Amino acid sequence: MKLLLSLVSLVALATLTAPALAQSKPNVLFIAVDDLRPELGCYGNTVIKSPNIDRLAKSGMVFQQAYCQQAVCSPSRSSLLTGRRPDATKVWDLVTHFRTALPDTVTLPQYFKQQGYHAAGLGKIYHGGYDDAPSWSVPHWTPKTKELDTTKSHAYLATDKAEEQLPDGAVAAEAISRLKDYKKSGQPFFLAVGFVKPHLPFVSPKKYWDLYDPAKIPGGDSDTLPEGAPAFVGHDNGELHGYGNIPAGNPISPAVSRELRHGYYAAISYMDAQVGKLLDTLKAEGLDKNTIIVLWGDHGWQLGDHGLWHKHTNFERATHAPLIVSAPGMPNAGKTTPALAEFVDIYPTLAELAGLPQPTGLDGKSLKPILDNPSASVRKVALSQYPRSADGKPVMGYSARDTRWRLTLWRDRTSGATVATELYDEKNDPKESVNVAAKPENAAVIAELTRELDTAYANLGAPVPTTKNAKTPQKAATDRVALFNRKDTNKDDQLTYDEFMAGQPDPEQAKERFKKFDTNKDGKLSRDEFIKQGK
């Protein structure tokens, strides 16, 4: 009889322990917001109505200086979700999938899936049409609802549709259903929820428009590009002009500008209400005590600043975006930090917060030291980039932002030569009204920021040593990675014979090395051939 009771007790203990062990892993609610600049109450905006995101901020930490890798949807999201910069993902546009360049990369949700989490994506996580099936435990879910009955008929509209008849309301409803299912199953989850507002068109229910007096919504910083900036750094507001109720030509009139800003604010408040539904459900289901929450906007947005609308630049308004991290039991809940952060930092941060092994080969750094101490920092600069055409030639603008300055070097994508330089004093000229790169007294600033920028891009995805014994061979591997990146002037992830031979001190020996390294005899060196054969 005692034996029977012991067996029954063991079975009962196992039954109770299995869900408890599963839930010892913290869940992750990963909230992505499209085109959201830091226009929130928790970022100091006294006009915007964002009570739910502000509520999240009180339980987490607000990163006041967080920056995207490239101010447009797919490059930014690809970098964040892979932990790699655009020059590693090779995603600089809206038509390239990161797995073309990185077929075997493990994405952020995929990594959690490998660690025993159920990973699911709802709404806009990756850019539309470029989802990534390996990232998810189940197929990605997209709402069937439409905000406009006629595509691109309006850039802004106060609609009579109910919230759940619009994409973000439908996403929130599905997220609520998934959270309730997770509560029942007890399985740890990584739930990615993507909201499209405040992306154009600015369509939201009328009640959110009624929250605002348009006269109290602040205007743009300026109507023109900065003094001394190259003309090619801006754009013609083409995305905005694609909508039917936007008059042709630039600048956008004051009357239309007021409507657009009103619509943008209303869209933020509508999206904020959806975030509130998720927070309420977490609490109601008892999941809030064991769920890490991160909310981020994929990049900033220009509301007429420099005469520009939408993103697509390296300016502060386009690259600066909100980032809020909340974790159970965090010691500095409700605090803000001025520490610089990049979106490639989110991947390693979530891994560390969840107690998972730190992934290697990423370009980001964990922000946990800052969550533990808001005065700490993990990087000297935050980097962004954006491609352009200058005098008919493709150039890439590489931008480095420290606590005071923003340097942007425009480099020829074939030769690597710098064709233009911008420098803005963000402390004394936060509207970026004057490019001060030509001032002699700023030469040292430019030199230092250039070193920081070049060092970061020379070490893209360099593996991280996991033991002390790994340091010596790791340095050699890192040096080869840096050398390959410098020689790969057209950034196609392979070296031609001419690229390899450039700058070689002994051309004859270099010629023999090229033949040796070219193991598949295709006349080019892949990254692996160059690094492994050259050790």
Side-chain angles (χ1 to χ4, degrees):
M1 185 65 179
K2 288 183 179 179
L3 178 60
L4 180 60
L5 288 173
S6 297
L7 289 172
V8 170
S9 298
L10 285 172
V11 170
L13 180 62
T15 303
L16 290 171
T17 304
L21 287 175
Q23 275 306 296
S24 65
K25 293 182 176 180
N27 305 307
V28 177
L29 178 58
F30 182 82
I31 304 174
V33 185
D34 213 349
D35 284 10
L36 178 65
R37 72 192 218 169
E39 212 83 355
L40 300 164
C42 56
Y43 277 87
N45 186 313
T46 58
V47 177
I48 197 78
K49 305 294 191 296
S50 55
N52 297 293
I53 295 177
D54 297 344
R55 174 172 35 135
L56 173 62
K58 289 179 181 178
S59 68
M61 183 174 289
V62 173
F63 285 78
Q64 294 172 319
Q65 287 192 280
Y67 295 89
C68 68
Q69 286 2 103
Q70 187 177 319
V72 67
C73 298
S74 192
S76 175
R77 291 165 183 262
S78 295
S79 283
L80 189 155
L81 289 156
T82 61
R84 307 294 305 276
R85 300 190 187 282
D87 277 9
T89 65
K90 309 298 182 189
V91 180
W92 303 291
D93 54 36
L94 302 180
V95 296
T96 304
H97 199 288
F98 62 84
R99 290 208 184 268
T100 302
L102 302 173
D104 299 320
T105 196
V106 176
T107 66
L108 169 58
Q110 185 181 2
Y111 185 66
F112 273 77
K113 184 176 74 169
Q114 290 178 348
Q115 300 296 323
Y117 282 72
H118 187 275
L122 315 177
K124 186 172 180 180
I125 304 301
Y126 293 99
H127 186 62
Y130 291 86
D131 187 47
D132 181 62
S135 292
W136 312 116
S137 304
V138 290
H140 174 263
W141 185 90
T142 302
K144 303 265 193 295
T145 53
K146 294 198 306 182
E147 53 201 351
L148 291 174
D149 296 328
T150 303
T151 302
K152 292 199 170 185
S153 60
H154 294 77
Y156 52 90
L157 180 69
T159 181
D160 293 329
K161 290 184 178 181
E163 292 188 15
E164 291 189 13
Q165 291 178 299
L166 300 172
D168 283 352
V171 167
E174 181 65 20
I176 290 169
S177 176
R178 299 289 181 101
L179 288 171
K180 291 179 178 179
D181 289 343
Y182 286 132
K183 173 62 176 179
K184 293 174 184 176
S185 72
Q187 183 176 7
F189 61 83
F190 182 104
L191 181 62
V193 182
F195 295 120
V196 294
K197 293 301 119 186
H199 191 290
L200 281 167
F202 303 146
V203 177
S204 58
K206 185 177 180 298
K207 69 177 182 179
Y208 295 104
W209 288 71
D210 292 343
L211 293 174
Y212 298 101
D213 176 356
K216 294 182 179 179
I217 298 175
D221 287 342
S222 60
D223 294 327
T224 61
L225 290 178
E227 179 184 334
F232 66 79
V233 304
H235 54 67
D236 62 0
N237 298 320
E239 181 181 356
L240 181 62
H241 283 299
Y243 288 86
N245 62 339
I246 300 299
N250 291 306
I252 304 299
S253 71
V256 174
S257 295
R258 279 194 298 274
E259 293 281 9
L260 286 167
R261 293 188 184 102
H262 191 177
Y264 186 81
Y265 272 48
I268 289 176
S269 292
Y270 164 59
M271 174 275 299
D272 176 82
Q274 312 317 305
V275 172
K277 295 174 185 177
L278 304 190
L279 299 181
D280 290 344
T281 302
L282 278 177
K283 187 171 181 63
E285 298 296 326
L287 295 169
D288 56 319
K289 302 301 184 186
N290 193 43
T291 300
I292 299 164
I293 306 173
V294 58
L295 182 144
W296 52 278
D298 59 354
H299 40 67
W301 219 81
Q302 289 145 159
L303 283 169
D305 312 289
H306 299 309
L308 304 172
W309 294 83
H310 38 91
K311 50 272 185 182
H312 311 303
T313 74
N314 274 322
F315 291 128
E316 182 80 2
R317 287 295 195 185
T319 57
H320 185 205
L323 173 62
I324 302 171
V325 180
S326 174
M330 63 184 295
N332 292 294
K335 299 286 183 66
T336 64
T337 176
L340 293 163
E342 297 184 41
F343 281 178
V344 287
D345 298 333
I346 293 175
Y347 189 157
T349 301
L350 289 178
E352 184 169 4
L353 288 175
L356 305 181
Q358 192 63 207
T360 60
L362 304 182
D363 296 323
K365 301 178 181 181
S366 174
L367 300 172
K368 189 173 183 300
I370 300 169
L371 295 172
D372 293 337
N373 176 10
S375 299
S377 65
V378 298
R379 54 174 68 254
K380 292 182 180 179
V381 298
L383 306 179
S384 303
Q385 62 186 97
Y386 207 90
R388 275 285 188 272
S389 178
D391 297 325
K393 295 181 179 180
V395 295
M396 182 67 76
Y398 292 98
S399 196
R401 174 70 154 91
D402 69 6
T403 56
R404 176 176 174 181
W405 304 92
R406 173 176 293 282
L407 171 72
T408 301
L409 301 177
W410 291 95
R411 289 176 167 170
D412 188 296
R413 296 181 73 176
T414 301
S415 69
T418 299
V419 300
T421 301
E422 296 176 85
L423 182 69
Y424 300 102
D425 185 344
E426 302 289 351
K427 179 180 179 181
N428 297 306
D429 181 22
K431 295 182 179 181
E432 295 177 326
S433 60
V434 181
N435 174 15
V436 294
K439 290 189 174 184
E441 62 266 32
N442 293 330
V445 173
I446 292 174
E448 174 59 25
L449 291 177
T450 299
R451 279 193 294 271
E452 292 289 340
L453 191 153
D454 286 343
T455 298
Y457 279 94
N459 292 284
L460 290 179
V464 179
T466 55
T467 68
K468 291 182 179 179
N469 294 332
K471 285 186 177 179
T472 300
Q474 173 58 33
K475 185 177 187 305
T478 300
D479 289 345
R480 296 294 296 176
V481 170
L483 183 58
F484 181 90
N485 289 330
R486 288 195 295 271
K487 284 184 169 294
D488 183 18
T489 55
N490 65 353
K491 304 303 179 189
D492 62 353
D493 219 36
Q494 59 186 357
L495 299 183
T496 64
Y497 177 78
D498 289 340
E499 285 176 322
F500 178 82
M501 294 298 293
Q504 293 284 2
D506 189 334
E508 289 305 314
Q509 286 190 11
K511 189 182 298 183
E512 293 305 313
R513 288 200 302 275
F514 185 87
K515 292 178 183 178
K516 175 188 172 185
F517 295 172
D518 185 16
T519 56
N520 65 356
K521 305 305 177 187
D522 65 349
K524 297 177 181 179
L525 301 183
S526 69
R527 181 181 289 269
D528 283 346
E529 285 176 328
F530 181 82
I531 294 171
K532 292 178 180 178
Q533 298 299 318
K535 289 182 179 178

